[in-house]
Amino acid sequence: MASSGANNAKTIMAAAAGRFGKLWGLGHESFNPSVRRILSVKGKGATPYLQGLVTCDLTSEPQAPRPEYKWEKPKDIPEEEQAQLPPDVEFTSRMRSACFLDQKGRIVTDAFLWKINNKDNEGKEKGHDIDEMEYLIDVPGSAADDLLKHLKQYKLRRTKVTIQDRTDDISAHVVYGTLNAKGSPPGYLAAMDPRHPSLGMRILSIPEGDEEESTIEQRRDQFESMMSKMFPKSNGTYDVIRRLSGIAEGTEIQGKTALECNQEFLNAVSFSKGCYLGQELTARSHHTGVIRKRIMPIILTDTQTEVPKPWVLAHKMQDSESELSEEEKLVLPGKLPNLSAPASGGLISMLMGNVQMPTTEEEVSDGEAAQEENSTDELKKLQEAGNAIVEELLGVAKKGSKIIDSEDGKTIGQIVSPPVEGSPIVLAQMRLDRVGLLKSKAGGWSRLNRVTIGDHKKEFRFLPYTPIWWPKTIDEENGKEKLQSEEINNESNPQE
């Protein structure tokens, strides 16, 4: 019975943790100021001041990220097994995702907003006095100076807030492979990434008490020493994970609209709050517009590499879509693969030939030995082809480079985030009709596609997919999330 109970607990733990997709392996990373900067808005009126500048609603609790599937903790779990269950994933107003827009409704940058009450830790009315807030703005380093200028530009003389760059005394970190952000020690703020928990737990190291005399380098070393036993140092991981997860940041999304950059899917936009800078374009796009382009991850391969099964199925789905009923569309795989970061990373490893062949000390027949040798040769060929592709991409796939369909010579996308070294994945702003997510007379995406990048003549094949935090279905009429009938009813009758 004990064994049965243990297995039951393990099953429940896997179900609970997996509802946000498979997590990345254990690790941690500390960000240099060139990657993340910390700005501060502090003082009486900080909340109203920022409320008029950000796309999210600072006066309400943020919405939790979209889970892969719904899960409720069973009520009949024996008491001895309760301790083995994973904690509930918390998403609170302590940290939220946001965008800052210019007066035309174009993005200045995305950011995390950390809320701190400096007046009274117990606080007033629901835990906070909005007049005594400090907000720490965790912003991509590439856009920090632009945001600092933006904040000062819209600070009125009568606004009693101070705006500072606190990068020299506060450091930012991320921890991978956990869903528990509770119980952070003194001097640290911790919260799950509000865009999606598979992106990790975000941490700020803030000097307090005796630590106020220490340098940021000393506190960073202290954090790394504290984390390294369970979460090894994993520098460079975040740049890979966010590309696999389809997340563009900072100057990569500057000048674009919030919806083109999927910010509504990332819980960074409220469509029910009052006025804020740049709201008109965002609201009009949401309520009446058509989203024709979105940023998404694409894997680039050569045209000779065999297309993996998820994209073969996607090709078949798009080919036969007109023959399917609405019910069949809901249960069958989508028009594109829907992948988590670990899943897409695993597929890329297979494409690159980075698969360890099993070894055995048992005797094998001559035929088995020959088969194993052939498999090894195939892997070597894949590795050579993969290495050649990533080398070519480093010189070709630059930020701003256009992706051009070889068949008709039309631009179908533009790279916003080039690949990291050793990887064939980029983030690109793609025309939704050319990936099969928006109605088109020319047809959607084909597994036999051929594209060129920028002015280069070399042909590649692109494999697009939707990240796990995207909605299951994109409405082919307008490029937005397609609500099911019960969700439409709930929106129409919010009081019921």
Side-chain angles (χ1 to χ4, degrees), residues 142-343:
S142 62
D145 288 334
D146 293 329
L147 178 58
L148 196 57
K149 180 181 178 182
H150 182 76
L151 292 172
K152 292 177 178 179
Q153 179 181 352
Y154 289 96
K155 178 181 176 293
L156 302 177
R157 290 184 179 180
R158 65 177 182 271
T159 305
K160 297 180 180 180
V161 299
T162 57
I163 300 169
Q164 294 178 297
D165 186 343
R166 295 194 61 187
T167 307
D168 288 340
D169 65 298
I170 298 178
S171 57
H173 316 266
V174 61
V175 175
Y176 309 113
T178 181
L179 291 172
N180 184 10
K182 298 178 182 178
S184 55
Y188 294 96
L189 298 178
M192 295 309 301
D193 193 311
R195 300 168 298 182
H196 197 272
S198 63
L199 293 163
M201 173 174 63
R202 306 300 291 229
I203 295 175
L204 291 186
S205 173
I206 302 177
E208 60 177 41
D210 295 338
E211 289 188 346
E212 290 187 2
E213 301 300 322
S214 62
T215 66
I216 190 170
E217 289 79 13
Q218 290 172 327
R219 292 196 302 278
R220 186 179 286 119
D221 290 343
Q222 181 183 11
F223 173 80
E224 292 183 353
S225 176
M226 177 176 66
M227 300 303 298
S228 58
K229 291 182 180 178
M230 183 172 290
F231 299 93
K233 195 172 181 179
S234 307
N235 288 350
T237 299
Y238 182 68
D239 268 345
V240 176
I241 289 182
R242 74 173 183 87
R243 283 168 172 79
L244 293 172
S245 300
I247 306 274
E249 295 182 333
T251 53
E252 295 171 350
I253 60 177
Q254 205 168 71
K256 296 176 172 52
T257 69
L259 274 59
E260 287 177 342
C261 301
N262 312 310
Q263 295 300 308
E264 80 276 35
F265 299 162
L266 294 170
N267 300 318
V269 181
S270 169
F271 295 108
S272 59
K273 67 177 284 189
C275 296
Y276 60 88
L277 187 67
Q279 180 189 35
E280 183 180 354
L281 176 61
T282 306
R284 188 169 66 245
S285 298
H286 173 68
H287 292 293
T288 63
V290 176
I291 311 303
R292 302 190 183 279
K293 299 176 289 183
R294 284 191 182 272
I295 291 176
M296 62 195 312
I298 63 171
I299 301 168
L300 294 165
T301 71
D302 63 36
T303 55
Q304 306 304 313
T305 298
E306 184 177 352
V307 176
K309 188 174 181 179
W311 284 276
V312 174
L313 292 175
H315 175 90
K316 289 180 179 178
M317 277 293 295
Q318 294 198 24
D319 257 6
S320 60
E321 184 191 13
S322 60
E323 303 169 10
L324 300 175
S325 67
E326 289 299 318
E327 290 76 14
E328 288 174 321
K329 290 178 183 179
L330 289 176
V331 297
L332 291 172
K335 294 181 180 180
L336 292 176
N338 183 252
L339 302 174
S340 65

Side-chain angles (χ1 to χ4, degrees), residues 12 31 34 59 72 81 104 122 151 161 206 251 270 274 323 357 363 372 388 395 402 413 421 427 432 478:
I12 294 171
F31 295 118
S34 62
T59 63
E72 293 184 4
E81 295 178 14
K104 295 180 180 179
E122 296 300 322
L151 292 172
V161 299
I206 302 177
T251 53
S270 169
E323 303 169 10
M357 291 297 294
E363 292 186 8
E372 185 174 322
K402 293 180 179 179
E421 188 172 352
L427 300 180
L432 294 184
N478 56 35

